[in-house]
């Protein structure tokens, strides 16, 4: 038996979806008295501005990019031992304890208000190893909150979030974004509906090219990564390089 959950992305994101699934599972187990209080993100937003809308051309291009572009998706599973050793190599003075992934999303918040962090290796960033990459990612997360706090008003900060997202989307369509990564790690995705944990949970593999979606494995120690690239040749080259880099550390399924 399989359970599938689908939501309209304008009103709910992945965090909302899995928060709902966990509350649903508690109800199925008869624990409805300690259900979390779901808070609507919209109540904190200013009223819509009638003359502000998405760019029609960009919206059309994004739809074509998302649904019509040829691409190849493949699932890679990294067990705990495979993750531990490369993570140790990423340790640096700036990031002494690298996490597997980071997802700055609120708990039990119903909505689709997501800030986007962009990591770029600049000319002043020495090195091209994993420690340098992790440091760039950590910097982008640390600057995310202050970026919006420094705005003149709350409304200005709130409207900056979708504007930044549209800019990132446009740069992705133009091929200026090397890789887009989304993570649902840290959420309880293997929910028990009172007949035991599911054997496997996964998101939809349908996504734009140069995109990675991360989820925890059933034991919560490993990572399932859906990776979408432009074609079979790109996927084959990526897999060969991945196996070459990770083979000394463990298995990649």
């Amino acid at each position: 038996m399989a359970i599938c959950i689908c939501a309209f992305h304008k009103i709910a994101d992945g965090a909302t979806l899995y928060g709902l699934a966990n509350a649903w599972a508690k109800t199925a187990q008869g624990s409805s008295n300690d259900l979390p209080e779901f808070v609507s993100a919209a109540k904190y937003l200013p009223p819509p501005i009638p003359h502000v809308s998405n760019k029609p051309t960009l919206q059309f291009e994004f739809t074509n990019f998302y649904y019509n572009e040829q691409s190849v998706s493949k699932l890679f599973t990294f067990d705990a031992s495979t993750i531990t050793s490369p993570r140790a190599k990423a340790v640096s003075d700036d990031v002494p304890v690298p996490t597997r992934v980071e997802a700055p999303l609120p708990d039990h918040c119903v909505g689709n208000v997501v800030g986007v962090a962009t990591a770029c290796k600049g000319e002043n960033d020495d090195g091209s190893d994993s420690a340098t990459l992790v440091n760039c990612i950590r910097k982008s997360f640390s600057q995310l909150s202050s970026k919006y706090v420094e705005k003149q008003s709350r409304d200005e900060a709130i409207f900056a979030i979708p504007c930044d997202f549209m800019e990132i989307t446009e740069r992705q369509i133009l091929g200026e974004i090397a890789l887009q990564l989304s993570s649902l790690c840290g959420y309880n995705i293997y929910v028990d509906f009172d007949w035991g944990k599911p054997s496997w949970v996964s998101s939809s593999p349908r996504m734009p090219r140069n995109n990675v979606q991360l989820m925890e494995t059933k034991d919560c120690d490993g990572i399932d990564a859906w990776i979408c690239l432009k074609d079979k040749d790109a996927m084959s080259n990526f897999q060969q390089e991945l196996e070459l880099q990770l083979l000394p550390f463990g298995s990649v399924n």
Side-chain angles (χ1 to χ4, degrees):
M1 181 171 60
I3 293 179
C4 179
I5 305 177
C6 183
F8 190 36
H9 218 319
K10 285 188 176 182
I11 61 172
D13 55 19
T16 302
L17 215 56
Y18 286 107
L20 175 63
N22 276 273
W24 180 9
K26 283 186 177 181
T27 303
Q29 295 174 5
S31 304
S32 56
N33 292 331
D34 60 346
L35 292 179
E37 179 182 357
F38 289 92
V39 180
S40 173
K43 66 183 288 188
Y44 300 105
L45 301 177
I49 300 176
H51 63 273
V52 175
S53 62
N54 293 340
K55 299 177 183 178
T57 303
L58 178 59
Q59 194 75 5
F60 175 76
E61 290 176 353
F62 179 70
T63 301
N64 281 341
F65 177 79
Y66 199 98
Y67 293 107
N68 298 333
E69 284 281 340
Q70 297 257 344
S71 60
V72 174
S73 297
K74 190 166 185 177
L75 177 67
F76 295 86
T77 298
F78 304 89
D79 60 25
S81 61
T82 306
I83 296 172
T84 300
S85 298
R87 190 165 83 172
K89 292 180 63 178
V91 169
S92 65
D93 292 338
D94 294 317
V95 187
V97 185
T99 59
R100 295 177 305 168
V101 292
E102 293 180 350
L105 300 174
D107 293 332
H108 306 128
C109 183
V110 179
N112 192 33
V113 183
V114 180
V116 180
T118 306
C120 301
K121 183 181 179 299
E123 295 179 356
N124 297 326
D125 295 318
D126 296 328
S128 58
D129 55 4
S130 57
T132 302
L133 175 60
V134 169
N135 190 29
C136 290
I137 294 173
R138 182 62 61 86
K139 282 182 180 179
S140 70
F141 278 119
S142 64
Q143 295 168 356
L144 186 62
S145 297
S146 60
K147 176 182 178 181
Y148 300 113
V149 170
E150 293 170 358
K151 299 294 183 183
Q152 294 293 324
S153 67
R154 185 195 68 161
D155 289 3
E156 184 183 356
I158 289 173
F159 281 118
I161 295 175
C163 287
D164 286 350
F165 184 80
M166 292 296 288
E167 181 183 352
I168 291 293
T169 302
E170 189 167 17
R171 291 174 62 188
Q172 184 183 10
I173 292 172
L174 295 174
E176 298 174 3
I177 301 294
L179 191 68
Q180 182 175 337
L181 187 146
S182 300
S183 171
L184 284 170
C185 295
Y187 297 97
N188 181 24
I189 62 174
Y190 280 82
V191 297
D192 182 359
F193 290 92
D194 207 26
W195 56 69
K197 286 188 176 182
S199 58
W200 186 51
V201 176
S202 178
S203 60
S204 170
R206 190 179 189 187
M207 52 188 176
R209 65 186 181 188
N210 298 339
N211 197 295
V212 177
Q213 292 184 1
L214 304 178
M215 302 180 75
E216 287 177 326
T217 53
K218 186 176 182 178
D219 59 11
C220 296
D221 291 329
I223 294 290
D224 278 342
W226 276 111
I227 299 176
C228 181
L229 300 176
K230 65 177 182 179
D231 53 35
K232 291 182 178 179
D233 290 338
M235 182 62 73
S236 177
N237 293 335
F238 170 79
Q239 186 168 357
Q240 290 176 10
E241 182 64 24
L242 183 66
E243 292 173 348
L244 182 65
Q245 294 292 330
L246 296 183
L247 190 59
F249 303 120
S251 62
V252 179
N253 300 321

